Amino acid sequence: MRKLIACGFVAALGISGPLLAQKTLTGFTERSAVEQKQLEQKFDAQLSAARVGQAIKDLSAVPHHVGSAGGKAVAENILNKFKAYGWDAKLETYQVLFPTPKTRVLEMVSPTVYKALLKEPALKEDATSDQPDQLPTYNAWSADGDVTGELVFVNYGLPQDYEVLESLGIDVKGKIVIAKYGRSWRGIKPKVAQEHGAIGCIIYSDPKDDGYYQGEVYPKGAFKNEYGVQRGSIMDMVIYPGDPLTPNIGATENAKRLNRLEAPNLLKIPVLPISYHDAKPLLEALEGPVAPAEWRGALPFTYHVGPGKAKVHLKVDFDWKLQPAYNVIAKIAGSQYPDQWVIRGNHHDAWVNGANDPISGAAALLEEAQAIGQLVKTGWKPKRTLVYCAWDAEEPGLLGSTEWVEDHISELQQKTVVYINSDGNGRGFLGVEGSHALETLVTEISKDVTDPQTNVSVFERVKANNAVNAATAKAKKEALAKPTFKVNAMGSGSDYSSFIQHAGIPSLNISYGGEDDGGEYHSIYDSYDDYSRFKDPGFVYGVALAKTAGRAALRMANAEVLPFDFRSLHKTVSDYVKDLLNQTEQMRESTAAENELIRANGYALANDPTEKKKLPQAKAEVPYLDFSPMLNALTELEKTTEQLASAWSKAVNTNGNTAAFNKALYQAEQQLLSANGLPRRSWYKHTLYAPGFYTGYGVKTIPGVREAIEQRNWKEAQEQITVVAASLQKLSAYLQQIAQ
Ligand SMILES: [Zn+2]
């Protein structure tokens, strides 16, 4: 329905096709912009939706998780494709730890007995659903364990849910918790449960989130049927991603490895994911308080929290083996700047068949490689080197890409112009996360790529969608007036993390989606049949992704002067700092108001013996933090980004040797790294972006300061303000230097 309105709206705006495409391109001269456009038209002409579809079918034909025969076959298939397309391609292999289940038992032992199925049934409507070699349903990096205990329902299992449990006087110490999937990286749920003393954690998919409450279930519709299970990693990735035994170094054959039990990003409790078919009898047996309204799902009974008679037995143990992770690395050397690399990547490993995650994105990447190969055959050569990568072992925790980055970090920091990532892709709207200095590049590309459903630019389509969904008339007006495409900050969840958050390499993550909802994620039903019916019928968004990411790679490979504009970074960081100031101010006011209330009511509550609820405690007042170092650094940065912008415009038209200038531009992001990294997680070096300590996926911008404020750790907040100010000053001085 929404889609239709959007089309009508765009038509009303009298906009049609990218006829509106701009003549100039940032970073190109008038003449080279015309040549680049012609090259891109030839590139587009090589792209075939049918070939994308065939690649998705081939590469998701059998289960292909890391360490499996199917996984190796997919890596070799991709290697051969690159070679056939004329790329200089090879495998780079790392030895990574990858646990697979030997035992999985979950049973309710009281008040009645129920033995969980822990199996997804094959469906005649899905050709690959009955295949052998499917990984069982499990959470990789769960600890080995055999526990029995009272069951407690903890909603999504996030810190705020435990505050609610505490206010209900419920403690999970020595108990087993059951949490809903959703709202965070799944690893946060067992992490917070472990922090509160739970002995085991069960994670289930409630039909309210991605099952029958959302729409028809598979195979009739796209949503999760009662037996579907989301597999997935529960590594505490916010400490560091990658092979847990080799933080900061590549997991090469002879790398020095930690003992598994010492790895700080692995949890100590047993964890298991289940379907809502298996969760139903467990949740139904719970007694105790009725769950708060916002905790209730869509299963047909009254949700209770427990604990009580309902007791479960959870037993899991794993085969902790090193497995080979096969990264496919393909290159086309640059004709003018061979030591300047434009890297493009998508992972190829899956939990089972992974037609959507990751093969839909990998197929688009291969289609780009095929088209670029055709261009090279016509005698064209990129100015800078193109490096196309298919990563292994992303699913367990970004292992393949992280080991490669850690292994080659100094060369990558010298040579990498940009890293362009993709992963799952489907029908819908363009979404981009990344380095804010690349907003101009992304905006121009989004105005040049046509949306296959509406035939307007993907820029216009997103704009119309934002306007349609705007909450207020003001927001709608702003959405319609916005001249640029919003690049969101990067959290985690795919292979860009080590590039930007560890190495400080400018990065983009590109995908289409939003009209491809469903419940197949990490289940046996993420298959070609599901994908071709519900995710991207006709594979037209596969081609849209190839056009979008392909243009990013080709423009960064050919630009005279790289289209980095740090003014948009300055603007964005200024907004973050404003937000931090507001957040602290609000916390100060709400704490003062709360404390006043507690002081005023404290007496009343004390006189009511029936009140079992724990009395709220007054919180420490929120002190005034000194943000001036950051504010002064921003003022300086505003000046230097302007200086650089004018030096930049001069450089475009000088036709001089811009190699050094360009190298300085793409290394600027590294100035935002801090040597010590974030508190308690030094692997994360970037001072502006990191996944939240308690979100896992979701980004925390200016994380060192923001999380200290959220944790009311005022001393650390002040220290981190100094750290961030120093990195902004470093960037300022650096930009001023290259401007001169
Ligand atoms: Zn993925």
Side-chain angles (χ1 to χ4, degrees):
M1 197 267 300
R2 192 175 74 198
K3 186 174 56 159
L4 285 172
I5 295 170
C7 313
F9 201 93
V10 169
L13 286 171
I15 292 169
S16 63
L19 289 175
L20 283 179
Q22 62 276 337
K23 288 268 162 295
T24 59
L25 278 182
T26 301
F28 293 78
T29 62
E30 190 85 21
R31 221 195 73 208
S32 64
V34 172
E35 287 164 4
Q36 179 68 20
K37 289 285 176 128
Q38 289 163 348
L39 178 80
E40 290 170 9
Q41 299 221 315
K42 287 185 198 140
F43 172 79
D44 289 353
Q46 298 292 340
L47 302 174
S48 145
R51 194 174 25 238
V52 169
Q54 191 56 47
I56 294 176
K57 193 168 191 173
D58 296 347
L59 296 172
S60 67
V62 297
H64 53 105
H65 53 275
V66 59
S68 67
K72 186 155 193 241
V74 163
E76 283 163 350
N77 185 329
I78 292 173
L79 176 69
N80 296 334
K81 279 186 164 39
F82 274 128
K83 287 182 174 170
Y85 300 153
W87 292 65
D88 165 19
K90 64 178 179 178
L91 291 183
E92 278 198 44
T93 307
Y94 293 93
Q95 303 301 326
V96 298
L97 185 64
F98 180 59
T100 51
K102 287 192 296 189
T103 312
R104 297 166 311 128
V105 174
L106 175 65
E107 51 199 352
M108 183 160 67
V109 291
S110 79
T112 55
V113 173
Y114 172 74
K115 197 166 172 38
L117 298 176
L118 307 181
K119 173 102 180 90
E120 298 168 300
L123 297 168
K124 63 181 181 338
E125 298 85 351
D126 189 312
T128 58
S129 64
D130 65 345
Q131 291 176 328
D133 304 336
Q134 295 170 338
L135 269 176
T137 57
Y138 80 116
N139 286 127
W141 314 111
S142 158
D144 296 333
D146 185 350
V147 294
T148 300
E150 292 176 33
L151 188 67
V152 178
F153 173 50
V154 295
N155 195 26
Y156 291 100
L158 305 178
Q160 57 271 32
D161 297 317
Y162 286 84
E163 284 171 23
V164 173
L165 285 170
E166 198 186 342
S167 74
L168 294 170
I170 294 171
D171 185 346
V172 302
K173 263 196 206 65
K175 301 189 175 62
I176 295 174
V177 303
I178 181 166
K180 291 183 283 189
Y181 260 120
R183 307 274 172 99
S184 78
W185 159 251
R186 67 182 74 74
I188 301 297
K189 299 160 196 293
K191 171 181 173 170
V192 178
Q194 179 178 299
E195 285 174 358
H196 286 80
I199 58 172
C201 177
I202 301 162
I203 316 175
Y204 84 101
S205 305
D206 192 283
K208 192 169 187 182
D209 296 306
D210 64 352
Y212 52 71
Y213 184 89
Q214 295 297 334
E216 295 291 352
V217 301
Y218 194 66
K220 188 172 175 201
F223 290 95
K224 193 180 255 90
N225 62 40
E226 67 176 302
Y227 301 105
V229 179
Q230 178 189 146
R231 293 160 183 74
S233 168
I234 52 141
M235 175 191 286
D236 195 1
M237 225 173 33
V238 300
I239 306 296
Y240 60 87
D243 172 52
L245 306 184
T246 59
N248 300 307
I249 59 167
T252 55
E253 201 84 39
N254 311 319
K256 192 169 171 316
R257 288 176 165 78
L258 295 175
N259 171 319
R260 172 171 66 82
L261 300 173
E262 291 157 10
N265 63 351
L266 298 185
L267 301 176
K268 310 281 185 225
I269 61 173
V271 186
L272 194 67
I274 60 175
S275 65
Y276 57 84
H277 175 88
D278 277 336
K280 185 168 176 287
L282 276 62
L283 291 164
E284 211 164 0
L286 283 173
E287 296 170 321
V290 172
E294 61 283 6
W295 286 31
R296 298 167 199 161
L299 288 166
F301 50 75
T302 305
Y303 282 68
H304 289 262
V305 178
K309 286 201 226 74
K311 271 195 174 160
V312 295
H313 170 225
L314 170 62
K315 178 177 168 47
V316 288
D317 64 59
F318 302 91
D319 212 349
W320 298 89
K321 274 213 189 79
L322 292 187
Q323 294 290 353
Y326 302 106
N327 292 334
V328 188
I329 310 294
K331 284 183 182 156
I332 290 182
S335 59
Q336 250 176 289
Y337 312 110
D339 285 342
Q340 297 191 357
W341 295 357
V342 172
I343 307 180
R344 169 92 176 85
N346 197 107
H347 73 100
H348 65 72
D349 69 298
W351 281 113
V352 194
N353 299 80
N356 185 4
D357 181 8
I359 295 301
S360 58
L365 178 147
L366 284 168
E367 192 58 15
E368 293 160 44
Q370 176 278 136
I372 290 168
Q374 292 298 338
L375 296 175
V376 169
K377 280 193 192 125
T378 65
W380 168 82
K381 271 260 163 147
K383 287 199 183 93
R384 299 182 179 87
T385 295
L386 290 168
V387 184
Y388 268 50
C389 310
W391 309 114
D392 202 347
E394 186 270 0
E395 291 299 356
L398 317 180
L399 277 65
S401 59
T402 301
E403 297 318 309
W404 192 73
V405 169
E406 290 175 337
D407 192 21
H408 301 291
I409 194 158
S410 48
E411 184 178 20
L412 290 172
Q413 286 180 322
Q414 284 304 316
K415 295 181 176 174
T416 312
V417 170
V418 65
Y419 173 65
I420 302 161
N421 191 70
S422 58
D423 199 326
N425 187 64
R427 179 172 49 193
F429 307 91
L430 175 63
V432 180
E433 294 101 35
S435 302
H436 288 97
L438 292 171
E439 205 156 270
T440 306
L441 170 80
V442 173
T443 299
E444 290 180 355
I445 291 169
S446 69
K447 291 180 178 176
D448 279 355
V449 173
T450 305
D451 173 70
Q453 289 183 96
T454 60
N455 207 29
V456 299
S457 74
V458 294
F459 174 81
E460 288 302 338
R461 186 146 196 249
V462 167
K463 187 158 93 171
N465 188 48
N466 292 341
V468 165
N469 295 310
T472 64
K474 180 168 171 288
K476 187 188 290 274
K477 213 153 154 260
E478 279 165 10
L480 291 171
K482 195 167 173 10
T484 57
F485 190 94
K486 184 164 176 37
V487 173
N488 294 308
M490 281 178 147
S492 189
S494 192
D495 293 299
Y496 51 78
S497 177
S498 54
F499 286 90
I500 188 162
Q501 289 153 355
H502 188 62
I505 287 167
S507 300
L508 293 172
N509 184 49
I510 301 174
S511 67
Y512 285 85
E515 293 176 320
D516 58 348
D517 291 349
E520 83 298 334
Y521 180 56
H522 290 179
S523 77
I524 66 172
Y525 308 121
D526 181 2
S527 63
Y528 175 78
D529 288 336
D530 179 284
Y531 189 84
S532 52
R533 286 175 59 202
F534 299 116
K535 300 294 162 180
D536 184 16
F539 313 106
V540 290
Y541 280 93
V543 170
L545 176 61
K547 285 181 176 176
T548 310
R551 272 170 175 71
L554 291 172
R555 290 183 187 185
M556 292 302 271
N558 291 338
E560 256 90 20
V561 181
L562 294 166
F564 286 99
D565 186 342
F566 294 91
R567 291 172 296 184
S568 42
L569 175 72
H570 166 263
K571 167 120 187 19
T572 306
V573 179
S574 305
D575 293 346
Y576 294 159
V577 174
K578 250 185 249 128
D579 180 47
L580 285 176
L581 284 160
N582 293 340
Q583 186 184 352
T584 318
E585 189 50 35
Q586 274 159 22
M587 278 175 82
R588 183 171 308 108
E589 283 161 15
S590 64
T591 302
E594 251 175 61
N595 287 352
E596 188 43 42
L597 208 64
I598 289 166
R599 261 191 293 277
N601 289 341
Y603 304 105
L605 283 171
N607 298 336
D608 176 350
T610 64
E611 187 52 62
K612 261 196 355 344
K613 284 190 177 150
K614 209 155 166 294
L615 291 179
Q617 302 301 313
K619 289 195 180 98
E621 300 292 345
V622 176
Y624 285 92
L625 293 170
D626 175 13
F627 282 90
S628 61
M630 246 188 332
L631 295 167
N632 292 333
L634 279 173
T635 309
E636 196 53 37
L637 186 63
E638 185 170 17
K639 271 184 258 147
T640 55
T641 56
E642 286 299 340
Q643 283 167 12
L644 180 68
S646 55
W648 189 95
S649 320
K650 281 196 216 100
V652 172
N653 297 305
T654 60
N655 272 340
N657 179 347
T658 57
F661 187 67
N662 281 320
K663 181 170 182 180
L665 284 173
Y666 69 69
Q667 288 189 311
E669 181 109 28
Q670 291 173 42
Q671 307 309 312
L672 293 167
L673 301 183
S674 77
N676 301 331
L678 292 176
R680 291 171 295 285
R681 46 188 183 138
S682 62
W683 186 91
Y684 287 94
K685 305 282 187 202
H686 205 296
T687 52
L688 299 184
Y689 318 117
F693 199 82
Y694 285 112
T695 65
Y697 283 138
V699 66
K700 288 286 177 187
T701 55
I702 314 187
V705 179
R706 190 180 298 278
E707 293 198 314
I709 289 171
E710 288 168 355
Q711 301 296 322
R712 292 171 178 264
N713 185 340
W714 308 117
K715 179 169 170 300
E716 184 169 284
Q718 196 61 64
E719 286 160 5
Q720 288 295 315
I721 286 172
T722 312
V723 171
V724 176
S727 81
L728 293 173
Q729 274 157 357
K730 210 168 33 147
L731 177 64
S732 256
Y734 179 90
L735 297 181
Q736 189 169 42
Q737 200 194 337
I738 55 180
Q740 279 149 11

